[in-house]
Amino acid sequence: MTAAFRSPAVSPVAVPGPSASGPAAPVLAAKGLSARYGQVQALAPLDFEVGSGELVAVLGPNGAGKSTLLRAILGLVATGGEVSFQGTVLPRRNPAAVASRGVVLVPEGRGIFGPMTVAENLELGAWSLGGGRRSRVAQERRLSWVFELFPRLKERLGQTAGSMSGGEQQMLAIGRALMADPKILLLDEPSLGLAPRVTEEILETLGVLNRSGLPVVLVEQRAPSALKLANRAYLLSLGRLAAVLDPREVQSHDQLAQYYFA
């Protein structure tokens, strides 16, 4: 598979990056956040934050609670504690209201609409922008940016999404999320089922998005690749926060593995 994207010439994201004089101010902050499915507690209370312009990785083995953390932030599961975004507490159990604030999720498994075309999937992503001339201009601007990141999508506009390769479908899932004009992007296992080279290309694009000023939360099992991009990493184990890591201080796979089995 040849390279399918490149860095956009101009960023449409108006989010300030971290200050060189100190840590980034939190744009997303969770305090005592917990989650349960019925009577089963899937996520023990934890604190979690993302600074403006940061890419934060969430790591851990299967069943660690990584996806549950994203679901708790979005309000897709019963939670305790609170989550605030840009200084405002997000509503519980109201994912549409959370998404309308600009907190946008690319779900595990991509969640694209297979029988629909690439163009129709992208149009659905822009639905939250509403109607009117200003909205159409904004949609065209977002679409142009998506095509700069993923030229392959422009080539596949009339193709049904379900007939594309796994890597192309992941590009579409990210592109559709970008059409919603996110203020922070949450991604759940974007490398799942992809070949290593395609994974590196997808993660490289996430780095481009983050360097443009877009805060990113990346749930990922391929820890070494995620750590190359991250400003900070939260490591979960059995539904609990095992460690908060500075990627620069992780010297080896063995050092990282000790947290997985703590």
Side-chain angles (χ1 to χ4, degrees):
M1 179 176 177
T2 57
F5 34 74
R6 59 183 179 272
S7 173
V10 178
S11 165
V13 182
V15 181
S19 167
S21 62
V27 63
L28 177 76
K31 301 294 184 184
L33 182 63
S34 63
R36 62 176 57 250
Y37 298 102
Q39 299 302 311
V40 177
Q41 186 168 43
L43 189 68
L46 59 78
D47 293 347
F48 178 87
E49 67 178 38
V50 182
S52 296
E54 281 193 321
L55 189 150
V56 172
V58 182
L59 310 175
N62 286 330
K66 305 185 300 298
S67 296
T68 298
L69 173 60
L70 296 189
R71 291 173 61 84
I73 291 170
L74 268 292
L76 291 166
V77 62
T79 62
E82 69 175 31
V83 181
S84 60
F85 179 64
Q86 294 180 331
T88 300
V89 175
L90 295 176
R92 296 188 183 187
R93 304 309 295 269
N94 192 342
V98 174
S100 71
R101 306 279 179 89
V103 183
V104 177
L105 172 69
V106 179
E108 180 181 350
R110 301 159 197 143
I112 62 171
F113 296 95
M116 299 175 68
T117 66
V118 169
E120 289 167 338
N121 271 271
L122 293 173
E123 288 169 7
L124 278 176
W127 178 82
S128 63
L129 298 178
R133 181 178 180 279
R134 291 182 64 184
S135 176
R136 287 196 299 273
V137 171
Q139 180 175 337
E140 290 170 2
R141 179 170 60 91
R142 302 298 299 183
L143 189 61
S144 176
W145 194 43
V146 168
F147 289 157
E148 287 190 62
L149 289 164
F150 303 116
R152 192 175 298 272
L153 295 182
K154 189 173 184 179
E155 300 168 1
R156 302 282 197 271
L157 277 177
Q159 184 173 339
T160 56
S163 67
M164 297 195 303
S165 69
E168 290 167 342
Q169 290 182 17
Q170 187 63 68
M171 295 175 202
L172 178 57
I174 297 171
R176 185 181 60 186
L178 294 176
M179 291 298 295
D181 194 19
K183 303 300 182 292
I184 186 170
L185 189 63
L186 284 56
L187 300 106
D188 194 357
E189 300 282 9
S191 72
L192 189 66
L194 301 184
R197 193 171 80 164
V198 180
T199 294
E200 291 304 314
E201 292 178 338
I202 293 291
L203 294 180
E204 178 184 333
T205 299
L206 297 182
V208 170
L209 289 170
N210 179 242
R211 290 191 294 274
S212 78
L214 181 64
V216 173
V217 179
L218 174 61
V219 165
E220 184 55 62
Q221 282 205 49
R222 301 192 186 194
S225 297
L227 288 172
K228 290 178 183 177
L229 298 173
N231 300 99
R232 184 169 61 262
Y234 289 79
L235 203 152
L236 303 183
S237 178
L238 298 176
R240 297 181 179 277
L241 180 62
V244 181
L245 306 174
D246 182 338
R248 296 169 298 181
E249 296 177 356
V250 178
Q251 302 299 321
S252 68
H253 295 290
D254 290 341
Q255 182 184 359
L256 185 62
Q258 68 179 329
Y259 294 105
Y260 279 57
F261 303 106

